[in-house]
Amino acid sequence: MIRVGIIGATGYAGSELVRILMGHREAEIKWYGSRSYIDQKYADVYRNMFCIVDAVCMDDNMEALSKEVDVIFTATPQGLCASLVNEEILSRVKIVDLSADFRIKDVAVYEQWYGITHKSPQFIDEAVYGLCELNREKIRTARLLANPGCYTTCSILTAYPLIKEGLIEPDTLIIDAKSGTSGAGRGAKLPNLFCEVNENMKAYGVATHRHTPEIEEQLGYAAGRPLTVSFTPHLVPMNRGILVTEYASLKKKEDGTLPTAKELRAAYEKYYDSERFVRLLPDGACPETKWVEGSNYVDIGFVVDERTNRVIMMGALDNLVKGAAGQAVQNMNLMFGLPEDTGLSMTPMFP
Amino acid sequence: MIRVGIIGATGYAGSELVRILMGHREAEIKWYGSRSYIDQKYADVYRNMFCIVDAVCMDDNMEALSKEVDVIFTATPQGLCASLVNEEILSRVKIVDLSADFRIKDVAVYEQWYGITHKSPQFIDEAVYGLCELNREKIRTARLLANPGCYTTCSILTAYPLIKEGLIEPDTLIIDAKSGTSGAGRGAKLPNLFCEVNENMKAYGVATHRHTPEIEEQLGYAAGRPLTVSFTPHLVPMNRGILVTEYASLKKKEDGTLPTAKELRAAYEKYYDSERFVRLLPDGACPETKWVEGSNYVDIGFVVDERTNRVIMMGALDNLVKGAAGQAVQNMNLMFGLPEDTGLSMTPMFP
Amino acid sequence: MIRVGIIGATGYAGSELVRILMGHREAEIKWYGSRSYIDQKYADVYRNMFCIVDAVCMDDNMEALSKEVDVIFTATPQGLCASLVNEEILSRVKIVDLSADFRIKDVAVYEQWYGITHKSPQFIDEAVYGLCELNREKIRTARLLANPGCYTTCSILTAYPLIKEGLIEPDTLIIDAKSGTSGAGRGAKLPNLFCEVNENMKAYGVATHRHTPEIEEQLGYAAGRPLTVSFTPHLVPMNRGILVTEYASLKKKEDGTLPTAKELRAAYEKYYDSERFVRLLPDGACPETKWVEGSNYVDIGFVVDERTNRVIMMGALDNLVKGAAGQAVQNMNLMFGLPEDTGLSMTPMFP
Amino acid sequence: MIRVGIIGATGYAGSELVRILMGHREAEIKWYGSRSYIDQKYADVYRNMFCIVDAVCMDDNMEALSKEVDVIFTATPQGLCASLVNEEILSRVKIVDLSADFRIKDVAVYEQWYGITHKSPQFIDEAVYGLCELNREKIRTARLLANPGCYTTCSILTAYPLIKEGLIEPDTLIIDAKSGTSGAGRGAKLPNLFCEVNENMKAYGVATHRHTPEIEEQLGYAAGRPLTVSFTPHLVPMNRGILVTEYASLKKKEDGTLPTAKELRAAYEKYYDSERFVRLLPDGACPETKWVEGSNYVDIGFVVDERTNRVIMMGALDNLVKGAAGQAVQNMNLMFGLPEDTGLSMTPMFP
């Protein structure tokens, strides 16, 4: 039985970790860390856990925690994990960090986009980027795991095979992303009030959103060279779900023709056919966020537009599951040698 | 392994049965019946089941079906189950009927409220009303199980202990119920369109809703005599969830005083303390539908109003789970001698 | 042209006053008071007012304000208006207070339910309760107008004719009320976040909500004696709208029979037939909040339940219009001798 | 007083025409045409109109209608207007067609995208495309007015100045559009049910949506040559509102530099500074659909992304107002010599 500690257990991602781990037969939560609710019953903060979780919230003490558990999930704001982690702790426990602290290999890029000084740059090299479908082998042996962002997971998986196989022009990639409001967290902020979000839609963070460099780094590895993308997130009046619509120009083959829909499908199949959590939809089907809600799936579809010689790629996931807690558990499973889908067999809930 | 057939697998209740049974280790669905989608892939009707359910939809042939499975769920409109069932079928399989056909013992009451002639009145006596918390022992040996309505389950469980213990005046009972829109089914009807329901709220079926006689019959058993209730359902712009707010006058005790909140709590605890799926909330807490979403729980709370000598009782459940498919599986578990919560350990999803 | 000042112009009720007054040909806003946003452009706080309102927000200085305008609306938390008003101010301007400070005639009742000391009890007697349909003549000459609460307006108007005419038993009255989330205000509080409200429903303030004594006082006048009601508010995942469902036992007439639906309708017609903003729906129609959204209407319907000898009354209004800002403007119109519906002819917006 | 007839008065666009014209002091609706509801009271179909509209629905008889009114609005499916119109009718009344029948100048393009044969191609040349901001002078004298589509209005106005001034590369234009569900109409179709749309988001009509050629034609006029765009609509769980996010590469100036944000703003101001219904937002502000709800405004913002040398343009409007009925009334005002904003001064409703 894996003993689990969570730092930041009362945010939406933290609480989703709790929900998922309640159904994981090989893991047991030993520490519900939440600086804001110390000594309060967890089930009083999340009443859905009434009669399910009996524990009270603890402080965010990674030092103490590292002596009691096998793995620590940090579901906390940027900078916290980097400020707490050290060699001693890493020698005792594995860490799955749901924040951005160890996602980006170039510390300057991190510090520029996040506007803070990185407190533990010495661990960046060691940290493994936890996008299981791309990095599975490295994840198995990682001590420090950088769990990808929600937008990032969806954006990368949707475009990866076509970039990797050289079927699209990398620098034409435009990602128009739409997210449910739980992605904004549980902080009591005016723009996240029901009446501000409901019956409303907007873009935000245009040309400046922090998930951009993370997408560029990972897709740059696929392309074999650096690339820049346009990434625009939008806020949608729903609780959960991310939908990305991605546009790219098809890349001429050596014979001067453009790749066909069949060739694009073959590329997707090459990378995803044996993936447990990636569902490549039939021709003509567009992903819908509700079809993956509550589950660890990513649904992907695409359409070739012969009028514009572009491909429109679409991906959908649940931002709190495959976009956060579910992927974190998938990573934990790999890191502890368990079947990758242990505790992750939730069927999507519809409606 | 219990072999399961579903008639009406493409309605919302039917699809929820599929979702729940996907996580049930002792049951396997052998027949996805849906007259409207015969020969179509089930996962094309419910794309959330893509890569999970590979079957195609079959006709609603109970005769054929009864030879291939151990239990049949009928998640169909009123009248269909009663028109299909016969002694031969019942000798072969158990039937869990999610429609109202066998819920009401007095066939005249059924025919009056539902406006149709009952096709199999000879089985009404035998049928067991499947509210597990009240009828557990009879359910274990039932061949024909009448699965309660969604409003009914919530309304009855919320008031039952106080009526049974004689703490409230039965005839003062008023039930104001609010339901998510999935309760209206998946039929393509104008009043259920997004734009008609969203940002809107209304009562409907005032003084005429068909769940009324079902509530009255069951609470009448608790009271030891017939009673009438005011029951008013409302449509709420959310997918899932039923909330009932029930009002009743406290009943004077023999010494002329009124029962206290402590005494009411003791009554609830007497009946529900060992119930796996009933959660009696702490003093002062009001149930919220989101706290039970996706799970088989009923959350119950109450407030004594000393100004009016009334108690306000509140109950919340997920209409598709404890209000339909979850309760149906709970009944199946009892009927087949399995632990009552097999396949029903879903943690509520929040947010 | 009536010169208008608003104290609390950046709350939802305040901003709705602005929206309505933009379409009022006899009024002009001279002062947008908002302590939280002093010196900021109003259109930066409410971007819907971009290119419409050019003013910046001012302090809540009632003294200064009273010298520049003809009427002051206070759309502020309880206690503020009472702490600012004095004889000198009242001699200069008319005041329409959207808070509860002057709604309840018995100061002890006010202080008990609101938990604060009333700062200007000397004006309570003079203040006129601004439910136009009941108090029209007094409103015309008022200096200090207590604008009714949102729940209150809907609850009272829905039951008033039947109580006034002695057709129901006053003490059996139970009011189950449902409100959109804008009723909770624009404060950045966790329970009002989108993800906490959406796909959720709950009761709150059970047996303790502050609108209760206000309802009881006004309906007590109608009954000719004090009465108590059960009043239960609920939070609904929609922006605007209040729906009340009210239950009462029919009162036997002298000949021992119960009043008929026709008699109840006659009572409603007696009071509302010439009312511009009350719409008595046809037999069998249940009010829906969306049918009045954005308008100053109250829609009322009722059903007689012969099984229980009760009447179920239903009322719907837009909590920010007839439940707050619209009614405030209706009162202003009366106080300044204008046609009562000036600026209030908004057609409900559907969908 | 302009006498108005509406064919298709019971669709969402038709009912919005009714709502807007109720507040138009120079127009009076004489004919509520609705084949589906002939002889039924209009207020029974749209209960928000109770006590406001007293008329019953009439047949869609354009011949008869043309003798009784001055202008006919056709808010009907594609093909109907073209099948009814003739020279005699056009000699008697002006026609504002809200369908696509006369929007596209090349009848072959129309027939290809819409899949129907055009019944009155002889009027296509004469018809004026009713995007007031671009075609104002021609509209004034039009007999037959082709009212633009909802997506189209938003897409064109958002990009027009930058294309017209040669500041972006026309063929790089990608339009990612998001629409509330009222855009799908009031037909009782499964995909538009509340439970299918709520908590869900999807793209649809990818690379095939019929508004594409309309956008290309109009923007082609601006560019001075034909162009193709990628246009992807999405369905959003809200009633009203369209948001477009448009991407284009900045076009190098003759001196080899790229246009600056200041230059882009100057281009927008050149075309929109004196436009009553276009609001160019301040730097850094992103349009939100809620800020224009219920009004005839289009809100436009843009961000220059120096990393990718692209501009991200954003536009928001209410699909039923500026995207349909409001623009139709704006066109009517121009055609009858009235001030362009008569009856269109609705302040956006928030929240």
Side-chain angles (χ1 to χ4, degrees):
Chain A
M1 189 67 81
I2 305 168
R3 297 165 305 163
V4 173
I6 302 173
I7 294 183
T10 55
Y12 286 143
S15 80
E16 188 71 356
L17 266 173
V18 175
R19 180 178 81 93
I20 292 172
L21 291 173
M22 286 301 114
H24 193 295
R25 63 174 188 273
E26 304 285 347
E28 190 180 4
I29 303 175
K30 292 293 192 186
W31 183 295
Y32 294 81
S34 172
R35 194 167 291 177
S36 319
Y37 293 98
I38 294 176
D39 291 338
Q40 292 188 44
K41 291 198 65 168
Y42 188 77
D44 285 347
V45 183
Y46 281 97
R47 192 57 59 83
N48 57 321
M49 295 299 173
F50 185 57
C51 298
I52 299 175
V53 173
D54 198 44
V56 299
C57 295
M58 315 277 283
D59 198 357
D60 291 345
N61 188 332
M62 193 183 274
E63 184 68 35
L65 175 49
S66 69
K67 295 173 185 161
E68 303 191 14
V69 300
D70 303 304
V71 60
I72 295 172
F73 293 94
T74 49
T76 47
Q78 320 310 334
L80 187 72
C81 181
S83 74
L84 295 176
V85 73
N86 59 44
E87 180 56 37
E88 200 188 332
I89 289 171
L90 278 175
S91 70
R92 280 200 292 262
V93 296
K94 289 174 184 285
I95 290 182
V96 177
D97 178 24
L98 280 77
S99 86
D101 287 1
F102 297 99
R103 292 178 191 158
I104 294 171
K105 288 300 174 197
D106 184 336
V107 68
V109 171
Y110 172 90
E111 294 187 341
Q112 175 195 337
W113 285 80
Y114 286 88
I116 51 178
T117 303
H118 201 293
K119 297 288 178 47
S120 302
Q122 71 275 23
F123 296 117
I124 292 181
D125 260 1
E126 168 182 357
V128 174
Y129 190 73
L131 195 45
C132 313
E133 287 72 14
L134 307 191
N135 263 355
R136 186 167 285 119
E137 292 317 310
K138 285 188 188 162
I139 293 166
R140 291 191 204 278
T141 56
R143 293 197 304 178
L144 176 55
L145 194 294
N147 206 58
C150 50
Y151 280 125
T152 324
T153 299
C154 200
S155 299
I156 294 172
L157 290 176
T158 299
Y160 179 82
L162 303 194
I163 289 183
K164 182 76 177 174
E165 295 295 301
L167 296 166
I168 55 178
E169 299 282 1
D171 288 316
T172 65
L173 186 62
I174 288 173
I175 302 171
D176 192 281
K178 300 90 177 168
S179 174
T181 306
S182 60
R186 211 189 190 197
K189 296 173 186 163
L190 192 147
N192 299 335
L193 290 180
F194 182 83
C195 290
E196 308 286 318
V197 173
N198 187 43
E199 283 293 289
N200 198 2
M201 188 160 178
K202 66 174 175 185
Y204 66 97
V206 180
T208 62
H209 193 277
R210 293 164 168 188
H211 283 181
T212 310
E214 191 183 329
I215 297 169
E216 291 178 344
E217 178 174 331
Q218 296 299 321
L219 289 181
Y221 297 149
R225 65 166 175 81
L227 52 75
T228 56
V229 303
S230 287
F231 170 72
T232 311
H234 297 76
L235 190 66
V236 183
M238 56 186 192
N239 287 349
R240 289 170 179 246
I242 283 180
L243 181 72
V244 297
T245 313
E246 306 194 8
Y247 303 84
S249 295
L250 294 168
K251 189 174 178 176
K252 270 192 192 154
K253 294 184 290 186
E254 293 189 354
D255 64 2
T257 65
L258 291 169
T260 62
K262 206 174 154 189
E263 289 169 299
L264 301 186
R265 177 164 290 274
Y268 277 114
E269 287 172 348
K270 173 174 173 185
Y271 291 92
Y272 296 149
D273 243 18
S274 59
E275 285 298 335
R276 169 74 171 87
F277 294 117
V278 181
R279 303 194 295 191
L280 183 63
L281 297 183
D283 285 347
C286 297
E288 308 191 14
T289 58
K290 192 69 183 162
W291 290 342
V292 295
E293 189 174 309
S295 83
N296 202 47
Y297 289 110
V298 188
D299 279 6
I300 295 175
F302 68 94
V303 173
V304 171
D305 182 2
E306 299 185 348
R307 298 173 59 256
T308 60
N309 292 333
R310 291 194 187 104
V311 59
I312 296 99
M313 301 157 272
M314 296 159 282
L317 54 69
D318 184 322
N319 58 304
L320 294 179
V321 189
K322 184 61 179 171
Q327 183 146 265
V329 170
Q330 192 180 353
N331 279 314
M332 179 192 79
N333 288 340
L334 287 170
M335 292 160 83
F336 285 84
L338 297 173
E340 194 170 327
D341 64 352
T342 309
L344 292 171
S345 301
M346 303 86 75
T347 297
M349 196 165 87
F350 185 98
Chain B
M1 190 67 81
I2 305 167
R3 296 166 305 162
V4 173
I6 302 175
I7 294 182
T10 54
Y12 287 143
S15 79
E16 187 72 355
L17 267 173
V18 175
R19 180 179 80 93
I20 292 172
L21 291 173
M22 286 301 115
H24 193 293
R25 64 175 186 273
E26 304 283 349
E28 191 178 5
I29 304 175
K30 292 293 191 184
W31 184 296
Y32 295 80
S34 172
R35 193 166 295 177
S36 319
Y37 294 97
I38 294 175
D39 291 339
Q40 292 187 45
K41 291 198 66 169
Y42 189 77
D44 285 346
V45 184
Y46 282 97
R47 192 56 59 83
N48 56 322
M49 295 299 173
F50 185 57
C51 299
I52 300 175
V53 173
D54 198 44
V56 299
C57 296
M58 315 277 283
D59 198 358
D60 292 343
N61 188 332
M62 193 183 274
E63 185 66 34
L65 174 50
S66 69
K67 294 174 185 159
E68 303 191 15
V69 299
D70 303 304
V71 59
I72 296 171
F73 293 93
T74 49
T76 47
Q78 320 310 334
L80 186 72
C81 182
S83 75
L84 295 177
V85 74
N86 59 44
E87 179 56 38
E88 200 189 333
I89 289 171
L90 278 176
S91 71
R92 280 200 292 264
V93 295
K94 290 174 183 284
I95 291 182
V96 177
D97 178 24
L98 280 77
S99 86
D101 286 0
F102 297 100
R103 292 178 191 160
I104 294 172
K105 289 300 174 195
D106 185 336
V107 68
V109 172
Y110 172 89
E111 295 186 341
Q112 176 195 337
W113 286 80
Y114 285 88
I116 52 177
T117 303
H118 200 293
K119 297 287 178 47
S120 301
Q122 70 275 21
F123 295 117
I124 293 181
D125 260 0
E126 168 182 358
V128 174
Y129 189 74
L131 195 44
C132 311
E133 287 73 13
L134 308 190
N135 262 357
R136 186 167 284 118
E137 291 316 311
K138 285 186 188 161
I139 293 167
R140 292 191 203 278
T141 57
R143 294 197 303 177
L144 176 55
L145 194 294
N147 206 58
C150 51
Y151 281 126
T152 323
T153 299
C154 201
S155 299
I156 294 172
L157 289 176
T158 300
Y160 180 81
L162 304 193
I163 288 182
K164 182 76 177 175
E165 295 295 301
L167 296 166
I168 55 178
E169 299 282 0
D171 288 316
T172 64
L173 186 63
I174 287 172
I175 301 171
D176 191 281
K178 300 91 178 168
S179 175
T181 306
S182 60
R186 211 189 191 199
K189 296 174 187 163
L190 191 147
N192 299 334
L193 290 179
F194 182 84
C195 289
E196 307 286 317
V197 173
N198 187 41
E199 282 294 290
N200 198 2
M201 187 159 179
K202 66 173 175 184
Y204 65 97
V206 180
T208 62
H209 194 277
R210 293 162 168 188
H211 283 180
T212 311
E214 191 183 330
I215 297 169
E216 291 178 344
E217 178 175 331
Q218 297 298 322
L219 289 182
Y221 297 150
R225 65 167 175 80
L227 52 76
T228 56
V229 303
S230 287
F231 171 72
T232 311
H234 297 76
L235 190 66
V236 183
M238 55 187 192
N239 287 350
R240 290 169 179 247
I242 283 181
L243 180 72
V244 296
T245 313
E246 307 194 8
Y247 303 84
S249 296
L250 295 168
K251 189 174 178 176
K252 269 192 194 156
K253 294 184 291 188
E254 292 189 354
D255 64 3
T257 63
L258 292 170
T260 63
K262 206 173 152 187
E263 288 169 299
L264 300 186
R265 177 164 288 274
Y268 277 114
E269 287 172 349
K270 174 174 172 185
Y271 291 93
Y272 295 149
D273 244 18
S274 58
E275 284 299 335
R276 169 75 172 87
F277 294 117
V278 181
R279 302 194 295 190
L280 182 63
L281 297 183
D283 287 346
C286 297
E288 307 190 14
T289 59
K290 192 71 183 160
W291 291 342
V292 295
E293 190 175 307
S295 82
N296 202 47
Y297 288 110
V298 188
D299 280 5
I300 295 176
F302 68 92
V303 172
V304 171
D305 182 1
E306 298 185 348
R307 297 173 59 257
T308 60
N309 292 333
R310 291 193 187 103
V311 59
I312 296 99
M313 300 157 274
M314 294 159 283
L317 53 70
D318 184 322
N319 57 303
L320 293 179
V321 189
K322 183 62 180 172
Q327 183 146 264
V329 171
Q330 192 180 354
N331 278 314
M332 180 192 80
N333 289 340
L334 287 171
M335 292 161 84
F336 285 84
L338 296 173
E340 193 170 328
D341 64 353
T342 309
L344 292 171
S345 300
M346 302 86 75
T347 297
M349 195 165 87
F350 185 98
Chain C
M1 189 68 79
I2 305 168
R3 296 166 304 162
V4 173
I6 302 174
I7 294 183
T10 55
Y12 286 143
S15 79
E16 187 71 356
L17 266 172
V18 175
R19 180 178 81 93
I20 292 173
L21 291 174
M22 287 301 115
H24 193 294
R25 63 176 187 274
E26 304 285 347
E28 190 179 4
I29 304 176
K30 292 292 191 187
W31 183 295
Y32 295 81
S34 173
R35 192 165 295 177
S36 319
Y37 294 97
I38 295 175
D39 291 339
Q40 292 188 44
K41 291 197 65 167
Y42 189 77
D44 284 346
V45 184
Y46 281 97
R47 192 57 59 84
N48 57 320
M49 295 299 174
F50 186 58
C51 299
I52 300 173
V53 173
D54 198 43
V56 298
C57 295
M58 316 276 284
D59 198 357
D60 292 344
N61 188 332
M62 194 184 274
E63 186 66 35
L65 174 49
S66 69
K67 295 174 185 159
E68 303 191 15
V69 300
D70 303 305
V71 60
I72 296 172
F73 293 94
T74 49
T76 47
Q78 321 310 334
L80 187 73
C81 182
S83 75
L84 295 177
V85 74
N86 59 43
E87 180 55 38
E88 201 188 332
I89 289 172
L90 278 176
S91 69
R92 280 200 292 262
V93 296
K94 289 175 184 281
I95 291 182
V96 177
D97 178 25
L98 280 77
S99 85
D101 287 1
F102 297 99
R103 292 177 191 159
I104 294 172
K105 287 300 173 196
D106 184 335
V107 69
V109 171
Y110 172 88
E111 295 187 341
Q112 176 195 337
W113 286 80
Y114 286 88
I116 52 177
T117 302
H118 201 293
K119 296 288 177 48
S120 301
Q122 71 275 22
F123 295 117
I124 292 181
D125 259 1
E126 169 182 357
V128 174
Y129 189 74
L131 195 44
C132 312
E133 287 74 12
L134 308 190
N135 263 357
R136 186 167 284 117
E137 291 317 309
K138 286 187 186 159
I139 293 165
R140 292 192 204 278
T141 57
R143 294 197 302 177
L144 176 55
L145 194 294
N147 206 58
C150 51
Y151 280 126
T152 323
T153 299
C154 201
S155 298
I156 294 171
L157 290 175
T158 299
Y160 179 82
L162 303 194
I163 288 182
K164 183 76 177 174
E165 295 295 300
L167 295 167
I168 55 177
E169 299 282 1
D171 289 314
T172 65
L173 186 63
I174 287 172
I175 302 172
D176 191 281
K178 298 90 177 167
S179 174
T181 306
S182 59
R186 212 189 190 198
K189 295 174 187 162
L190 190 148
N192 299 335
L193 290 179
F194 182 83
C195 289
E196 308 285 318
V197 173
N198 187 42
E199 282 293 290
N200 199 2
M201 187 160 180
K202 65 174 176 185
Y204 65 97
V206 180
T208 62
H209 193 277
R210 293 162 168 189
H211 283 180
T212 310
E214 191 182 331
I215 297 168
E216 291 178 345
E217 178 174 331
Q218 297 298 322
L219 289 182
Y221 297 150
R225 64 165 176 80
L227 52 76
T228 55
V229 304
S230 287
F231 170 72
T232 311
H234 297 76
L235 190 67
V236 182
M238 55 187 193
N239 286 351
R240 290 168 178 248
I242 282 180
L243 181 72
V244 297
T245 313
E246 307 193 9
Y247 303 85
S249 296
L250 295 168
K251 189 173 177 176
K252 270 191 192 156
K253 294 184 291 189
E254 292 189 354
D255 64 3
T257 63
L258 292 169
T260 63
K262 206 174 154 188
E263 288 169 299
L264 301 185
R265 178 164 289 274
Y268 277 113
E269 287 172 348
K270 174 174 171 184
Y271 292 92
Y272 296 149
D273 245 17
S274 58
E275 285 299 336
R276 169 74 171 87
F277 294 118
V278 182
R279 303 194 295 192
L280 183 62
L281 297 183
D283 286 346
C286 297
E288 307 191 14
T289 59
K290 192 71 184 160
W291 290 342
V292 295
E293 190 175 307
S295 83
N296 203 46
Y297 289 110
V298 188
D299 278 6
I300 294 175
F302 68 93
V303 172
V304 171
D305 183 1
E306 298 186 348
R307 297 173 60 257
T308 60
N309 292 333
R310 292 195 185 101
V311 59
I312 296 98
M313 300 158 273
M314 294 158 284
L317 53 69
D318 184 323
N319 57 303
L320 294 178
V321 189
K322 183 61 178 172
Q327 184 146 262
V329 171
Q330 192 180 354
N331 279 314
M332 180 193 79
N333 289 339
L334 287 170
M335 293 161 82
F336 285 84
L338 297 172
E340 193 170 327
D341 63 353
T342 309
L344 292 171
S345 300
M346 301 88 74
T347 297
M349 194 166 88
F350 184 99
Chain D
M1 189 68 80
I2 305 167
R3 296 165 305 162
V4 172
I6 302 174
I7 293 184
T10 54
Y12 286 143
S15 80
E16 188 72 355
L17 267 172
V18 176
R19 179 178 82 93
I20 292 172
L21 291 173
M22 287 300 115
H24 194 293
R25 62 174 189 275
E26 304 285 348
E28 189 178 7
I29 304 175
K30 291 293 191 186
W31 184 296
Y32 295 80
S34 172
R35 192 167 294 177
S36 319
Y37 295 98
I38 295 174
D39 291 339
Q40 293 187 44
K41 292 197 64 168
Y42 188 77
D44 285 347
V45 184
Y46 282 96
R47 191 57 59 82
N48 57 320
M49 295 299 174
F50 186 57
C51 298
I52 299 174
V53 173
D54 199 45
V56 299
C57 295
M58 315 278 283
D59 198 357
D60 292 344
N61 188 331
M62 195 184 272
E63 185 67 35
L65 175 49
S66 69
K67 296 175 184 158
E68 303 191 15
V69 300
D70 303 304
V71 60
I72 296 172
F73 293 94
T74 48
T76 48
Q78 320 310 334
L80 187 71
C81 182
S83 75
L84 295 177
V85 74
N86 59 44
E87 180 56 37
E88 203 189 332
I89 289 172
L90 278 175
S91 71
R92 281 201 291 263
V93 296
K94 290 174 184 283
I95 291 182
V96 177
D97 177 24
L98 281 77
S99 86
D101 286 1
F102 297 99
R103 292 177 190 160
I104 294 172
K105 289 299 174 197
D106 184 336
V107 68
V109 171
Y110 172 89
E111 295 187 341
Q112 175 195 338
W113 285 81
Y114 286 88
I116 52 178
T117 303
H118 201 293
K119 296 288 178 48
S120 301
Q122 71 274 24
F123 296 117
I124 292 181
D125 260 0
E126 167 181 358
V128 174
Y129 189 73
L131 194 45
C132 313
E133 287 73 14
L134 309 190
N135 263 355
R136 186 168 284 118
E137 291 317 309
K138 286 188 187 161
I139 293 166
R140 292 191 204 278
T141 57
R143 293 196 305 176
L144 176 55
L145 194 294
N147 206 58
C150 51
Y151 281 126
T152 323
T153 299
C154 201
S155 299
I156 294 171
L157 290 176
T158 299
Y160 180 81
L162 303 194
I163 289 182
K164 183 76 178 173
E165 294 295 301
L167 296 167
I168 56 178
E169 299 281 2
D171 288 316
T172 65
L173 186 62
I174 287 172
I175 302 172
D176 191 282
K178 299 90 177 168
S179 174
T181 306
S182 60
R186 211 190 191 197
K189 295 173 186 162
L190 191 147
N192 299 334
L193 290 179
F194 182 83
C195 290
E196 308 285 318
V197 173
N198 187 43
E199 282 293 289
N200 199 2
M201 187 160 180
K202 65 173 176 186
Y204 66 97
V206 180
T208 62
H209 194 277
R210 294 163 168 187
H211 283 180
T212 310
E214 191 183 332
I215 297 169
E216 290 178 345
E217 178 174 333
Q218 297 298 322
L219 289 182
Y221 296 150
R225 64 167 176 82
L227 53 76
T228 55
V229 304
S230 287
F231 171 71
T232 312
H234 298 75
L235 190 66
V236 183
M238 56 187 193
N239 287 350
R240 289 170 179 247
I242 282 180
L243 181 72
V244 297
T245 313
E246 307 192 9
Y247 303 84
S249 296
L250 295 168
K251 189 174 178 175
K252 271 191 192 156
K253 294 184 291 187
E254 292 190 353
D255 64 4
T257 64
L258 292 169
T260 63
K262 206 174 154 189
E263 289 169 299
L264 301 186
R265 177 164 291 273
Y268 277 114
E269 286 172 349
K270 173 174 172 185
Y271 292 92
Y272 296 148
D273 244 17
S274 58
E275 284 300 334
R276 169 75 172 86
F277 294 117
V278 181
R279 304 194 294 192
L280 182 63
L281 297 183
D283 286 347
C286 298
E288 308 191 13
T289 59
K290 192 71 184 162
W291 291 341
V292 295
E293 189 174 310
S295 83
N296 202 48
Y297 289 110
V298 188
D299 279 6
I300 294 175
F302 68 93
V303 172
V304 171
D305 182 1
E306 299 185 348
R307 298 173 59 257
T308 60
N309 291 333
R310 292 195 185 102
V311 59
I312 296 98
M313 300 158 273
M314 295 160 283
L317 54 69
D318 184 322
N319 57 304
L320 293 178
V321 189
K322 183 63 178 170
Q327 184 145 263
V329 171
Q330 192 180 353
N331 279 314
M332 179 193 79
N333 289 340
L334 287 169
M335 292 161 83
F336 285 84
L338 296 173
E340 193 170 327
D341 64 353
T342 309
L344 291 172
S345 300
M346 303 85 75
T347 297
M349 195 165 88
F350 185 99

